[in-house]
Amino acid sequence: MGKDFTDEDDALLADLGVEVEAKKVATHTPREERIIAGFEDIQRFVEENGRAPRHGEDGDIFERLYAVRLDRLRALDEARALLEPLDHQGLLSGDGKGAAGMPDSSDDDLDDDALLSQLGVEPGGSDITDLRHVRSRAEIRAAEEIANRQKCDDFDTFKPLFRAVQADLDAGHRDTVRFRKDAGFAKTDIRKGSFIILAGQTAYIADIGDVIKAPNGEDDARLRVIYSNGTESDLLLRSLIRAMYKDETSRLISDPVAGPLFADIDEDDSDLASGTIYVLRSKSDLPFVAENREILHKIGVTGGSVEKRIVIASKDATYLLAEVEVVATYELYNINRTKLENLIHRVFAPARLDIEIKDRFGNPVTPREWFLVPLHVIDDAVDKIRDGAIGDWLYDPGQARLTMRG
């Protein structure tokens, strides 16, 4: 019969005395699943490159891995029998796109076992499927993008930038910070013009393309990344982030003005992170707040989302038990958020709001982050933070501006 039957159809036919052939469900052993997955990686390479993977030092390490894998799969009767129904590209017969029979591995600077060992494959095993560990496809694609570099034809334009950033690091005008998920870093920390260290090599983000949608629906973008060895790549932002999280030696290099801010503080690298200075304005109906709404601001620093932080403002006495609006945010890098917040509060201490309110349970609370300061003065203070000079200034309420400390 030319159609699939539901369980109800099967039951009805059985009642009528018609024998129903049991549906066959294809199952594979874990070993067979690994063989198929490995072959699908090769097929994807062929679809993307229009040819079969080749041996030789001109190919990147992943192409050479696929070439070795294809050799092994062709040689295994078990694998050929399993994969031939899936081989729409003629790879097992040696007739795949761009292939000329079995690739010659004699000119490869790594023998098969050494090459496989580098990429997590157990040398001496019977075939390519004897893996010590298996990476996700997302990890493999990210690594492929990182490895796929070409010569940077206009490297002379960027060479002075690399010399300057190294001089800043040597002089202590810049710092490096481990790129870690638990430090709150995200793709927004990779900006055009920023420097990073990846796999022990300094890299410069020369350009960030238009936002595109990744397969999972999240935002992504194509980057132009210049490396200190004179090469470049056009990898995706998410691939770079994934590679940096994976590389335990990856670092962000700070802006040259960020380092001196806490130069007199002996800090461990784990203290340094990215952060956002946020400025809020209250929507409270309290008479004093209403009269001074334009200059009354809550100033704080967070490593997370400002919007999430203020969700419960109307129930929190530190937010004056009222909704708030975000009037300004400032992104900073390589800072100690707690120390920075304390420093800002010391600068504006002469204008701190002195008020006591009762929380939802009737307990008295004195909010400490509200200041009677015009927004343009806060802008000025942030500029001085970026210049590393904020410690020399103090807010003067009488003049409504920052003045040098006496």
Side-chain angles (χ1 to χ4, degrees):
M1 292 189 181
K3 60 173 284 186
D4 293 331
F5 289 102
T6 65
D7 292 339
E8 288 185 1
D9 294 329
D10 290 345
L12 178 59
L13 291 173
D15 289 341
L16 294 174
V18 180
E19 184 176 350
V20 181
E21 182 179 356
K23 300 181 180 68
K24 295 181 179 179
V25 179
T27 59
H28 298 293
T29 66
R31 172 183 169 82
E32 289 172 336
E33 290 287 357
R34 290 197 300 272
I35 292 174
I36 292 172
F39 188 63
E40 288 176 343
D41 285 339
I42 300 171
Q43 290 180 311
R44 178 171 57 83
F45 175 91
V46 174
E47 290 172 358
E48 294 176 353
N49 294 275
R51 59 175 174 81
R54 300 167 182 163
H55 292 277
E57 60 184 11
D58 292 339
D60 67 40
I61 198 73
F62 292 95
E63 178 174 1
R64 292 155 67 188
L65 168 63
Y66 296 151
V68 172
R69 178 181 292 169
L70 184 56
D71 285 353
R72 301 284 175 86
L73 294 177
R74 284 169 172 167
L76 285 172
D77 292 339
E78 171 198 1
R80 294 179 64 90
L82 177 66
L83 298 175
E84 279 177 352
L86 310 175
D87 185 22
H88 59 87
Q89 296 156 315
L91 294 170
L92 296 176
S93 64
D95 298 328
K97 298 178 182 178
M102 295 283 282
D104 179 11
S105 62
S106 61
D107 63 343
D108 203 334
D109 62 346
L110 291 176
D111 66 353
D112 288 353
D113 283 344
L115 176 62
L116 297 177
S117 179
Q118 267 198 6
L119 293 173
V121 182
E122 187 67 41
S126 60
D127 64 82
I128 194 75
T129 65
D130 294 331
L131 300 181
R132 286 196 300 268
H133 63 272
V134 179
R135 294 177 298 177
S136 69
R137 293 197 177 193
E139 288 178 318
I140 291 176
R141 289 175 185 174
E144 286 176 333
E145 284 206 316
I146 294 294
N148 187 23
R149 303 180 189 177
Q150 56 272 352
K151 179 182 177 182
C152 177
D153 292 330
D154 57 343
F155 185 65
D156 286 343
T157 304
F158 301 101
K159 191 181 296 183
L161 300 180
F162 286 102
R163 285 200 296 263
V165 77
Q166 187 58 52
D168 284 342
L169 287 169
D170 294 341
H173 297 156
R174 291 181 187 257
D175 204 347
T176 63
V177 183
R178 171 76 192 280
F179 195 87
R180 312 189 312 272
K181 287 184 179 180
D182 57 3
F185 290 120
K187 58 180 178 292
T188 53
D189 293 294
I190 302 299
R191 300 163 293 133
K192 180 178 178 180
S194 60
F195 286 87
I196 63 172
I197 297 175
L198 180 62
Q201 193 168 37
T202 303
Y204 175 68
I205 312 301
D207 194 23
I208 298 181
D210 294 336
V211 175
I212 58 177
K213 287 294 181 184
N216 64 358
E218 294 188 12
D219 289 344
D220 206 346
R222 183 68 66 177
L223 311 179
R224 185 188 183 195
V225 182
I226 313 297
Y227 301 90
S228 55
N229 66 350
T231 61
E232 68 172 281
S233 63
D234 62 348
L235 68 164
L236 289 168
L237 174 58
R238 291 177 61 80
S239 293
L240 178 63
I241 296 294
R242 186 175 287 110
M244 292 190 72
Y245 282 150
K246 193 76 174 176
D247 178 11
E248 293 186 358
T249 66
S250 67
R251 316 283 288 185
L252 282 176
I253 299 179
S254 73
D255 294 334
V257 298
L261 182 57
F262 299 110
D264 59 338
I265 301 174
D266 181 18
E267 300 192 56
D268 182 81
D269 285 348
S270 61
D271 291 332
L272 299 176
S274 62
T276 301
I277 299 176
Y278 60 87
V279 182
L280 309 178
R281 191 169 289 162
S282 176
K283 296 181 180 180
S284 170
D285 293 330
L286 291 172
F288 180 84
V289 174
E291 292 170 9
N292 297 276
R293 201 181 307 278
E294 294 303 310
I295 62 169
L296 180 60
H297 296 106
K298 178 178 170 64
I299 309 172
V301 180
T302 181
S305 165
V306 178
E307 286 72 20
K308 289 182 180 178
R309 193 179 183 91
I310 65 176
V311 145
I312 60 170
S314 62
K315 300 177 182 178
D316 190 335
T318 62
Y319 291 88
L320 307 182
L321 295 175
E323 298 292 339
V324 295
E325 62 176 322
V326 181
V327 294
T329 58
Y330 312 87
E331 299 294 328
L332 294 177
Y333 302 85
N334 285 23
I335 61 170
N336 179 294
R337 291 189 286 264
T338 301
K339 291 184 175 71
L340 175 60
E341 187 171 67
N342 290 338
L343 179 59
I344 293 172
H345 292 174
R346 285 203 303 270
V347 170
F348 291 115
R352 192 190 305 271
L353 178 64
D354 185 12
I355 188 175
E356 182 180 280
I357 63 176
K358 293 185 178 180
D359 63 17
R360 292 179 297 158
F361 307 102
N363 301 313
V365 175
T366 303
R368 305 295 296 169
E369 295 186 353
W370 290 92
F371 303 88
L372 292 161
V373 179
L375 184 58
H376 71 87
V377 180
I378 301 174
D379 287 335
D380 188 19
V382 173
D383 286 341
K384 287 178 170 53
I385 288 171
R386 288 172 173 156
D387 291 340
I390 189 62
D392 298 329
W393 297 83
L394 187 69
Y395 180 64
D396 184 340
Q399 302 181 56
R401 66 183 181 89
L402 295 176
T403 58
M404 290 288 291
R405 291 179 184 271

